[in-house]
């Protein structure tokens, strides 16, 4: 992976985790045949990795494109959204995060990896919480920002475009999957479905 050397270890670990977690979500939902993935080890767990270079690159470039915005604490949530044939969202996996960049104590990478590893374990057994998708569904990765980056001061602001994703008409049904709160990272993973009303 083409990682920058100047980012903090916790941001690097978080982005690597997002790349694996998003691939795991896509595998879990069965959007592609299981042969489109291969088994790999990450954080001493067996995880799935996309075999197709374009799928792998989409996930990789989307996640690592968030780097400057996570470093500036602009990213509030990262979502994997699944849509039906009418382009309506039917399911969202939401990663809500807070990264404290000013945290001065040294963070042990092993401790952070151990905490994030538990998310991958919970994610791998969360299929019963999800809905079955139609064969003509699609999906995308969406980042929700606390505030929009200023295009005049950030060369990376133009990398992301505003989404035209439809929002829920009613408050969604939320199913918590896993959360952690510690310095310098707090992370929640939950599932959103449209309300039954």
């Amino acid at each position: 992976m083409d990682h920058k050397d100047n980012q903090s270890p916790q941001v690097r670990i978080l982005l690597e985790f997002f790349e694996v977690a998003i691939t795991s979500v896509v595998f879990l939902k069965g959007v592609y045949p299981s042969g489109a993935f291969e088994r790999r080890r990450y954080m001493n767990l067996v995880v799935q990795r996309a075999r197709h270079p374009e799928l792998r690159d989409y996930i990789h470039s989307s996640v690592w494109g968030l780097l400057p915005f996570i470093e500036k604490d602009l990213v509030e949530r990262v979502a994997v959204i699944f849509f039906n044939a009418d382009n309506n969202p039917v399911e969202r996996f939401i990663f809500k995060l807070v990264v404290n960049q000013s945290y001065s104590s040294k963070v042990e990478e092993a401790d952070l990896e151990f905490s994030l590893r538990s998310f991958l374990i919970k994610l791998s057994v969360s299929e019963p919480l999800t809905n079955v998708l139609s064969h003509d569904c699609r999906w995308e990765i969406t980042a929700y920002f606390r505030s929009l980056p200023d295009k005049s001061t950030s060369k990376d602001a133009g990398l992301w475009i505003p989404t035209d994703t439809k929002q829920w008409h009613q408050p969604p049904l939320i199913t918590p999957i896993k959360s952690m709160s510690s310095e310098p990272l707090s992370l929640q993973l939950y599932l959103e479905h449209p309300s039954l009303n």
Side-chain angles (χ1 to χ4, degrees), residues 2-196:
D2 54 345
H3 308 308
K4 295 180 182 176
D5 293 331
N6 57 351
Q7 82 254 355
S8 68
Q10 62 260 26
V11 171
R12 178 188 52 78
I13 291 168
L14 178 64
L15 292 174
E16 288 174 356
F17 162 79
F18 276 149
E19 197 169 344
V20 172
I22 290 169
T23 303
S24 298
V25 167
V26 174
F27 175 79
L28 175 81
K29 293 306 298 171
V31 176
Y32 305 106
S34 60
F37 299 88
E38 59 189 0
R39 294 164 54 102
R40 293 289 173 118
R41 288 197 84 68
Y42 175 71
M43 293 185 185
N44 207 23
L45 288 174
V46 175
V47 296
Q48 300 297 323
R49 179 174 181 242
R51 283 186 161 165
H52 195 283
E54 288 181 23
L55 174 58
R56 196 169 50 237
D57 185 56
Y58 169 66
I59 295 170
H60 177 82
S61 61
S62 296
V63 167
W64 287 89
L66 291 171
L67 173 65
F69 307 110
I70 288 176
E71 287 178 331
K72 294 174 185 158
D73 195 31
L74 293 175
V75 178
E76 179 183 27
R77 292 172 287 156
V78 176
V80 182
I81 307 173
F82 296 90
F83 300 87
N84 62 16
D86 297 327
N87 210 29
N88 291 316
V90 294
E91 196 164 65
R92 292 181 178 155
F93 284 80
I94 307 285
F95 296 89
K96 186 174 181 181
L97 67 145
V98 175
V99 180
N100 182 356
Q101 294 291 350
S102 62
Y103 185 70
S104 58
S105 298
K106 175 151 175 39
V107 177
E108 290 297 323
E109 289 184 30
D111 293 341
L112 184 56
E113 287 177 351
F114 181 79
S115 296
L116 292 174
R117 182 179 185 269
S118 63
F119 280 82
L120 296 173
I121 293 169
K122 286 291 273 190
L123 194 55
S124 70
V125 296
S126 65
E127 186 175 13
L129 305 173
T130 68
N131 293 334
V132 176
L133 297 175
S134 65
H135 68 283
D136 55 355
C137 72
R138 70 173 193 85
W139 66 279
E140 70 182 23
I141 300 168
T142 301
Y144 296 90
F145 288 64
R146 288 182 177 79
S147 62
L148 293 176
D150 185 1
K151 288 185 178 183
S152 64
T153 60
S154 174
K155 65 179 177 53
D156 300 308
L159 296 176
W160 286 82
I161 57 173
T163 183
D164 59 354
T165 298
K166 296 177 185 175
Q167 301 300 316
W168 308 118
H169 295 294
Q170 301 288 328
L173 297 174
I174 296 175
T175 306
I177 296 176
K178 180 77 178 138
S179 67
M180 67 174 256
S181 183
S182 64
E183 288 295 340
L185 175 67
S186 294
L187 184 64
Q188 294 178 351
L189 170 59
Y190 55 92
L191 189 58
E192 288 185 353
H193 290 109
S195 163
L196 300 175

